[in-house]
Every structure is written in structure tokens, then in C-alpha cells.
């Protein structure tokens, strides 16, 4: 449905986007993630038709969105960060305005608006000025107004921006319902909260695609090793584990308790050394206070791919 | 186009400052015309009109300051410029909204000249020409205000710059009689919008002045479109 081919965008000599290619199928919910400055907003600006000068091509159902700009702009709705709502308008006025500037016929507009207002749970506050609504309702208004256009693709930049944790949780449920109606593309700098919303995740790092995969959130956490808390000297631990064949390396970290150490034991690829470690520790009388497996989560993968980990280290 | 125009007019309708400005304007014109009509001394009515035209024009920065600056500040320019409406239509709608309010302000001041026509037999043709001049000059200043607003993300900054440009124009106008260098005089005449208004002030229907003022209005609108095109391409 939405095909992006070798997209690039430069601000002077700086590449905001470079070599971006992907294809989004109808009905798919895609999350575009990346840290600040990774090019997410620029990408949405291009997909929405806001930015017109760029390299490469964006096609909606096989048509270049630049060649048929007026039509494709009707079919791709865009909600910028924070919703960018006109606070002095009422909910209905705003929806009517958005339909008007997108040349949606008034008869069609009326029916669609009514249905969308009910779907969004805004029917009872449609005559309220937007400034009088809370952040969650304002976020819903921006989406409801976009849905009234019956877009084929809905782009949302930072959908949880400005929402409290409880509001974000409620908004996520609403977004899940929205995802049933249209093809949804969401951009965010964190992946928290999107696990059961986005089937597809595209991670951007410095304007390039660092990862494009389905079911990142469904990926089983990968074992990275075992962490033990022991109440003895590191030499005793080394002696105990030296004959365990699956051990690749060991790291020792002191703790706030005297004589207590944290040991991170990394296993050789694919080996489960939990039993062997336990028996070795028991036979060498190493007091094990705690033992647990270390995993790499989707969040860790995201931090690694988006370049945030590297930046934090620097 | 209609939706943007309606939205802009509704924004003005909710602008408390404009109501205060309108009240102040009516009071000022009332006092000035009243003084001119009922004074025992001979008062040059053209001078009064010139003053009122200047005061009217001074309201324009208030009308245009937020035209695009507020959109940029709010981020709603992304919604406007990614919609099916053409950028040229958005620019024209914003100009038209500001101009219509300016025209309404100007029309309100017509009340006093009408009384003058009835009481003293002032020439209505001259008055109509004066108002035509005011409207054409107002159109140029509206287009210039929208143009300046398109270059900023802060309404107040746009207001200050528009007022500064107006004062610069007035200064040029005031300095013109004192200029001895012919070339400089010629250049000032070319860029001076207000000198075109004087032709209407003296009861002359000058087609070249009309053409000049309409061209200036259009040029500022073309400039606004260009500024916005460049701005959104450079926006990070």
C-alpha cells in the first residue's frame, strides 16, 4: 500500500534520512522508533506530503504522492506531535475545518463525523472548546478529526506526548481500536507502551534503518548469562567454576555488603550452565545468596540499535 | 479556501484586543471629524483623512501578527500544508481575512464623513476616492504583515517588525521633500506606498497608483508563498 523507495533528505550537508526503503501493507500497524534526531519526524513529514523536496520516492497504492499530491494528501492523514489543535475551536468545528481543508463533501462529512465522534467517545463533548478538554480527550480529538477524513493511512507523531501514565494506557486502547479501521504508522522515541500495538517495528538510527522487523515485541528474551550473588572471595568462585565446561568468562563486581560479590558468568553460545554452576558451587561450598539468568529484552535491542546505548557510553 | 477564511475570521472575532482597538478608533475618528466639522477655524479635511488613514493602517500589524507565526508556533502548519488545500489558497485566505477586518474598520469610520456630506455638503466623490486609496494601501500593508508573519514563529516579533517597516515607510515619506539628490528621490518614490495614497487624497483617480498598489499586494503574497516553501523544506 505505502511503498518507500530509497528515500533521502538532506538539510545542507547533514543527512536527515538516507537510503530508507520499506513497504507497509494495508491494515498493518507500524511503529517507527528512534531517538531524537534520528529522522522520524522528517520521515512522517515526507509521507504526509508536508515536505516535497527529497530524494527517492513514496508511493501510495502505486502512485507517487508528489505527482498526485492533492489526492494522496486526502488519503494520508497526519497528526503532528502534540496534535497541533486549534484550542479556540470546538471539537465539531475542528473536525469540520479539517474535512473542509481536505475537500471532503459535506454530506459525507456529516455522516462520518457522527460515526467517528461516537467511536471516539467524544459525542457528548462535541460542542466543547478544545482548550477545555483534558490531554487525553485532546489526543482523541486529533485522531477523531483525522479519521473523519477516512484516510487510507494515518500517521501519528508521538501519540503519548503530554499524557500521564494512566492516560497513555487508556489512549493505547483507543489506538488499538483505531488500528482496526486504518493503516496506522506511529513514530516515537520510546518503545514502551507499543508492545501490543505495533506488529511491525522500524528502528531509525541517524537517518538510516537500523532494523525493520515483525514481532520485535514477541521475541523471546535471549539469555545473556547468569548473575550470582556469592558470599565468598572471587578466587574461591574461580576455583569452583574453572571445570564447568560451558563458562566463557566471569566478571566480578563488589556490592555494598562486605565479603559479598556479584558474579556475571557468561556462557558459551547456546549452552545452559545453570545446573552445572549450582553443583560446582555446592561442591566447593560457595555460599550462593542469589542466582538468576540475565536476558536481553526488546528495549535493550532498541537501545542498542537506535544508538542510545552508544551515546550514553560516550 | 472558505474554511481557512472562516477560521481566521472566527479567530479575529475572539480577539479581545481588536474590540478595544475598534472602540479606540471610533472614539478617535469621532473626535477628529467632530473637531474638523464643528470647528470655527478652517480645517483641511484632507489632513484629517490622512491622519485617520495612518491610524487605520497602524491596526494592521495587530491583525497580521499571528497569521503564520501562530501556526508555526503551534505546529498546525504541518496540518495545513499537508492537507489537500493549496498553499497559495492558505496565504490568500489569511490575507483576505485580515483585509476584510481592515475594510470593516475603515467602513466604520465612514459614518463621520457621511455626517459631513449631509451637514456641509462635502464632495462624496472625493471621499469615495479617499476610501478607495485607504483600502488599496491597507491591502498592501495587510499583505506585507502576512509576509512578515510568515518569516517568524513569534507573533509579537512579527508585530514589532511590521510596525518598524511602517515607520520606515513613513520616515521615507517625511524625508522625501528634503531630499535633493534626484536619484534617491526617484527610488524613494518607487518604494513609497504612502505617496501613492496622496494621489487619492487629492481627489485623483490614478490608474497607475491602483496598478502599483495591487501589484505590491500580489508581490507580497507571492513572497509569502516562497518564504513558506523554503521554511518548510528547511524545517528540522
Amino acid at each position: 500500500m505505502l511503498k518507500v523507495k530509497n528515500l533521502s533528505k538532506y538539510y545542507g550537508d547533514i543527512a536527515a534520512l538516507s537510503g530508507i526503503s520499506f513497504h507497509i501493507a494495508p491494515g498493518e500497524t507500524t511503529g517507527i522508533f528512534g531517538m531524537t534526531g534520528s529522522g522520524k519526524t522528517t520521515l512522517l513529514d515526507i509521507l504526509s506530503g508536508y515536505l516535497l523536496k527529497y530524494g527517492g520516492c513514496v508511493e501510495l497504492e502505486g502512485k507517487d504522492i508528489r505527482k498526485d499530491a492533492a489526492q494522496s494528501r486526502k488519503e494520508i492523514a497526519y497528526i503532528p506531535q502534540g496534535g497541533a489543535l486549534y484550542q479556540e475551536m470546538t471539537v465539531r468545528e475542528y473536525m469540520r475545518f479539517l474535512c473542509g481543508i481536505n475537500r471532503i463533501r459535506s454530506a459525507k462529512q456529516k455522516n462520518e463525523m457522527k460515526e467517528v465522534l461516537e467511536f471516539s467517545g467524544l459525542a457528548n463533548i462535541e460542542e466543547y472548546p478544545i482548550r477545555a478538554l483534558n490531554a487525553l480527550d485532546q489526543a482523541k480529538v486529533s485522531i477523531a478529526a483525522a479519521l473523519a477524513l477516512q484516510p487510507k493511512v494515518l500517521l501519528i507523531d508521538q501519540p503519548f506526548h503530554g499524557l500521564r501514565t494512566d492516560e497513555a494506557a487508556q489512549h493505547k486502547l483507543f489506538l488499538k481500536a483505531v488500528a482496526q479501521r486504518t493503516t496506522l504508522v506511529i513514530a516515537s522515541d520510546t518503545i514502551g507502551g507499543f508492545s501490543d500495538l505495533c506488529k511491525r517495528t522500524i528502528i531509525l538510527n541517524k537517518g538510516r534503518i537500523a532494523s525493520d522487523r515483525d514481532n520485535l515485541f514477541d521475541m523471546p528474551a535471549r539469555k545473556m548469562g547468569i548473575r550470582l550473588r556469592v558470599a565468598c572471595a572471587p578466587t574461591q568462585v574461580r576455583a569452583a567454576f574453572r571445570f564447568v565446561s560451558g563458562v566463557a568468562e566471569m566478571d566480578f563486581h563488589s556490592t555494598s555488603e562486605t565479603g559479598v560479590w556479584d558474579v556475571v558468568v557468561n556462557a558459551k553460545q547456546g549452552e545452559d550452565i545453570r545446573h552445572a554452576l549450582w553443583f560446582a558451587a555446592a561442591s566447593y561450598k560457595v555460599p550462593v545468596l542469589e542466582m538468576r539468568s540475565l536476558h536481553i529484552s526488546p528495549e535493550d535491542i532498541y537501545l542498542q540499535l537506535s544508538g542510545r546505548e552508544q551515546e550514553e557510553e560516550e | 479556501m472558505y474554511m481557512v477564511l472562516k477560521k481566521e475570521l472566527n479567530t479575529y472575532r475572539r480577539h479581545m484586543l481588536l474590540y478595544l482597538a475598534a472602540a479606540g478608533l471610533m472614539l478617535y475618528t469621532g473626535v477628529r471629524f467632530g473637531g474638523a466639522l464643528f470647528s470655527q477655524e478652517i480645517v483641511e479635511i484632507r489632513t484629517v483623512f490622512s491622519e485617520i488613514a495612518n491610524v487605520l493602517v497602524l491596526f494592521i500589524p495587530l491583525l497580521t501578527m499571528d497569521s503564520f507565526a501562530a501556526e508555526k508556533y503551534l505546529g498546525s502548519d504541518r496540518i495545513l500544508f499537508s492537507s489537500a488545500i493549496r498553499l497559495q489558497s492558505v496565504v490568500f485566505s489569511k490575507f483576505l481575512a485580515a483585509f476584510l477586518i481592515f475594510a470593516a474598520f475603515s467602513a466604520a469610520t465612514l459614518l463621520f464623513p457621511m455626517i459631513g456630506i449631509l451637514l456641509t455638503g462635502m464632495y462624496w466623490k472625493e471621499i469615495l476616492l479617499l476610501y478607495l486609496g485607504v483600502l488599496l494601501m491597507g491591502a498592501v500593508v495587510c499583505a506585507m504583515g502576512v509576509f512578515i508573519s510568515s518569516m517568524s514563529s513569534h507573533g509579537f516579533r512579527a508585530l514589532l517588525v511590521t510596525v518598524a517597516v511602517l515607520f520606515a515607510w513613513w520616515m521615507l515619506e517625511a524625508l522625501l521633500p528634503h531630499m535633493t539628490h534626484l536619484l534617491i528621490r526617484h527610488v524613494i518614490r518607487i518604494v513609497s506606498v504612502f505617496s501613492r495614497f496622496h494621489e487619492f487624497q487629492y481627489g485623483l483617480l490614478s490608474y497607475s497608483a491602483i496598478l502599483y498598489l495591487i501589484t505590491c499586494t500580489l508581490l507580497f503574497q507571492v513572497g509569502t508563498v516562497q518564504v513558506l516553501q523554503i521554511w518548510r523544506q528547511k524545517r528540522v
Side-chain angles (χ1 to χ4, degrees):
Chain A
M1 174 182 237
L2 189 68
K3 200 177 254 181
V4 174
K5 290 182 199 164
N6 202 24
L7 206 64
S8 62
K9 170 76 187 169
Y10 284 83
Y11 293 113
D13 293 336
I14 300 160
L17 292 173
S18 177
I20 303 285
S21 297
F22 58 83
H23 176 241
I24 294 174
E28 195 173 35
T29 301
T30 307
I32 296 171
F33 302 105
M35 53 191 289
T36 308
S38 60
K40 304 179 300 291
T41 303
T42 304
L43 180 56
L44 291 200
D45 282 346
I46 290 173
L47 298 183
S48 66
Y50 175 78
L51 285 178
L52 301 169
K53 287 181 184 164
Y54 52 84
C57 172
V58 179
E59 286 178 2
L60 180 69
E61 295 181 328
K63 289 179 198 156
D64 189 330
I65 62 166
R66 273 184 294 200
K67 284 184 185 150
D68 196 6
Q71 185 58 29
S72 57
R73 282 171 176 189
K74 270 189 197 179
E75 293 171 343
I76 303 175
Y78 183 24
I79 302 171
Q81 183 174 334
L85 297 160
Y86 295 114
Q87 298 288 321
E88 72 280 2
M89 287 186 182
T90 66
V91 175
R92 180 169 278 276
E93 277 173 352
Y94 182 70
M95 291 176 79
R96 213 178 279 159
F97 171 75
L98 211 61
C99 288
I101 60 172
N102 282 290
R103 295 173 187 157
I104 307 288
R105 282 183 293 113
S106 56
K108 191 181 166 191
Q109 183 192 119
K110 223 174 187 178
N111 296 335
E112 198 56 33
M113 266 171 59
K114 196 178 170 208
E115 196 274 313
V116 163
L117 281 166
E118 276 164 18
F119 165 77
S120 317
L122 298 168
N124 54 341
I125 53 169
E126 63 180 281
E127 295 303 335
Y128 282 36
I130 290 170
R131 76 180 117 75
L133 305 180
N134 62 32
L136 178 62
D137 283 338
Q138 290 201 10
K140 278 186 176 178
V141 170
S142 57
I143 293 177
L147 286 179
L149 309 175
Q150 291 185 293
K152 288 182 177 161
V153 181
L154 175 58
L155 312 169
I156 312 178
D157 196 4
Q158 309 278 12
F160 300 144
H161 176 81
L163 297 182
R164 294 193 314 260
T165 318
D166 57 323
E167 288 174 331
Q170 281 186 58
H171 196 47
K172 189 170 76 177
L173 294 175
F174 179 59
L175 285 173
K176 279 171 94 172
V178 171
Q180 304 298 314
R181 297 172 66 118
T182 184
T183 304
L184 197 58
V185 179
I186 291 169
S188 172
D189 52 7
T190 58
I191 61 166
F194 294 100
S195 56
D196 45 356
L197 189 63
C198 302
K199 275 257 176 273
R200 167 100 171 272
T201 51
I202 295 172
I203 298 175
L204 294 181
N205 183 2
K206 292 175 185 164
R208 289 176 178 276
I209 293 182
S211 162
D212 179 358
R213 62 188 302 163
D214 288 333
N215 306 320
L216 171 73
F217 297 102
D218 300 339
M219 220 178 62
R222 190 150 50 91
K223 286 186 188 123
M224 291 298 289
I226 292 158
R227 201 201 74 179
L228 296 106
R229 180 160 283 190
V230 295
C232 65
T235 47
Q236 197 181 338
V237 180
R238 282 189 198 283
F241 294 159
R242 71 191 149 154
F243 298 117
V244 178
S245 61
V247 173
E249 58 178 0
M250 281 184 276
D251 276 332
F252 290 87
H253 306 275
S254 59
T255 66
S256 55
E257 285 181 78
T258 322
V260 176
W261 290 79
D262 276 339
V263 191
V264 177
V265 183
N266 288 322
K268 287 176 186 165
Q269 189 72 38
E271 289 200 35
D272 187 352
I273 54 169
R274 286 174 299 174
H275 292 83
L277 283 185
W278 191 88
F279 284 116
S283 64
Y284 277 79
K285 291 193 171 56
V286 172
V288 177
L289 308 178
E290 197 182 309
M291 181 174 176
R292 74 184 167 96
S293 297
L294 296 176
H295 297 99
I296 184 163
S297 64
E299 279 80 7
D300 297 323
I301 296 172
Y302 167 60
L303 291 176
Q304 216 170 37
L305 292 171
S306 66
R308 190 167 299 183
E309 231 171 36
Q310 194 188 344
E311 193 173 79
E312 277 168 8
E313 275 169 22
E314 282 167 11
Chain B
M1 191 184 110
Y2 168 71
M3 290 311 290
V4 179
L5 179 65
K6 191 179 158 193
K7 179 216 151 232
E8 289 298 307
L9 291 174
N10 275 331
T11 308
Y12 291 133
R13 191 170 56 85
R14 292 171 178 129
H15 213 310
M16 186 51 77
L17 204 60
L18 284 181
Y19 290 99
L20 288 173
L25 178 74
M26 289 306 284
L27 188 70
Y28 175 78
T29 40
V31 169
R32 260 337 250 117
F33 271 111
L37 287 171
F38 302 112
S39 158
Q40 297 300 313
E41 296 160 28
I42 297 165
V43 178
E44 177 65 73
I45 201 76
R46 284 190 190 98
T47 318
V48 178
F49 269 117
S50 177
E51 277 176 35
I52 286 169
N54 286 340
V55 172
L56 272 169
V57 164
L58 256 185
F59 283 116
I60 294 175
L62 265 181
L63 298 173
T64 56
M65 60 191 267
D66 277 335
S67 291
F68 283 105
E71 303 280 1
K72 286 180 175 182
Y73 185 77
L74 191 66
S76 49
D77 61 308
R78 280 198 159 93
I79 290 177
L80 269 183
F81 302 157
S82 63
S83 70
I85 189 168
R86 291 173 69 211
L87 181 57
Q88 289 87 335
S89 301
V90 177
V91 171
F92 184 68
S93 305
K94 294 215 172 229
F95 156 77
L96 190 60
F99 179 71
L100 285 177
I101 299 292
F102 171 77
F105 270 37
S106 306
T109 63
L110 254 175
L111 175 73
F112 303 104
M114 295 301 247
I115 295 169
I117 290 170
L118 289 173
L119 292 180
T120 64
M122 277 163 60
Y123 298 112
W124 63 270
K125 273 185 186 170
E126 276 75 3
I127 289 171
L128 279 184
L129 272 177
L130 271 163
Y131 270 88
L132 176 66
V134 168
L135 288 179
L136 287 170
M137 184 173 67
V140 177
V141 180
C142 281
M144 181 194 74
V146 172
F147 173 72
I148 291 170
S149 180
S150 72
M151 289 195 283
S152 175
S153 302
H154 299 277
F156 189 66
R157 209 176 285 165
L159 172 96
L160 289 179
V161 175
T162 314
V163 170
V165 173
L166 279 179
F167 275 108
W169 273 351
W170 276 319
M171 286 294 287
L172 282 178
E173 190 63 26
L175 289 173
L176 192 60
H178 308 289
M179 292 285 177
T180 48
H181 199 285
L182 275 177
L183 183 69
I184 296 173
R185 277 177 76 99
H186 188 64
V187 170
I188 291 176
R189 273 223 179 83
I190 288 172
V191 297
S192 175
V193 171
F194 295 120
S195 66
R196 300 308 194 283
F197 172 66
H198 294 322
E199 297 186 28
F200 295 96
Q201 207 179 349
Y202 290 103
L204 300 169
L205 179 61
S206 162
Y207 291 109
S208 68
I210 292 173
L211 190 67
Y212 175 87
L213 293 169
I214 290 174
T215 308
C216 282
T217 307
L218 291 175
L219 281 177
F220 274 123
Q221 287 188 54
V222 171
T224 307
V225 172
Q226 291 307 313
V227 166
L228 291 169
Q229 295 273 32
I230 293 166
W231 185 79
R232 73 167 154 168
Q233 290 312 319
K234 286 189 174 171
R235 184 177 187 172
V236 183

